Amino acid sequence: MKRSVFLKTIFVLATILLCIIFLYPIISYLLYREQKIVKVSFHPNERLGKVNFKKGVYLIKSNHNWYALSAHCTHLGCIVNFDEKTEKFHCPCHGSVFDISGKRVAGPANRPLTRLPLRFMKNGDIIVIKRD
Ligand code: FES
């Protein structure tokens, strides 16, 4: 390799590296989106059934335990619908299907529905915490 070709190659690589070093923080800043923490409250007076839906969250009673699932499909984020007959969640966008525990049964989604943390309040409210 000639010396001039070698120096040009080093110069190009150094320029690319400097661009990455200087552009990364700028692009990160421009794409940064603050995550909001949303608390969805289910009150016992709402006559909670086995599967309850509110603000993008499913609150489900299984035996004597509660768990919460995000209603956002893990494929591209559409809101899934619960079918009481089959006890499955169906995504209207591309047909993914999840069982009542959130496990993927069919369709293009490759992950289960996201489980969300719960808080049980002294007044009987169940608070589901989700990130938007
Ligand atoms: S968004 Fe649900 S299957 Fe595509």
Side-chain angles (χ1 to χ4, degrees), residues 31-111:
L31 297 179
Y32 177 76
R33 196 182 122 224
E34 190 174 331
Q35 274 198 334
K36 282 191 237 165
I37 293 178
V38 178
K39 294 178 180 176
V40 181
S41 177
F42 292 86
H43 194 274
N45 289 349
E46 296 174 35
R47 293 185 180 189
L48 298 175
K50 184 176 180 181
V51 177
N52 309 277
F53 177 80
K54 194 190 273 185
K55 297 179 184 174
V57 166
Y58 280 103
L59 178 68
I60 300 150
K61 187 174 189 176
S62 168
N63 297 325
H64 296 292
N65 295 320
W66 292 96
Y67 61 93
L69 297 172
S70 169
H72 293 274
C73 178
T74 54
H75 179 227
L76 293 176
C78 292
I79 299 291
V80 297
N81 300 313
F82 184 69
D83 179 18
E84 289 183 18
K85 286 182 185 169
T86 60
E87 293 205 331
K88 289 192 170 51
F89 296 98
H90 295 265
C91 180
C93 295
H94 311 106
S96 285
V97 180
F98 305 87
D99 70 11
I100 197 165
S101 70
K103 187 177 146 201
R104 188 195 78 90
V105 175
N110 58 9
R111 289 180 292 124

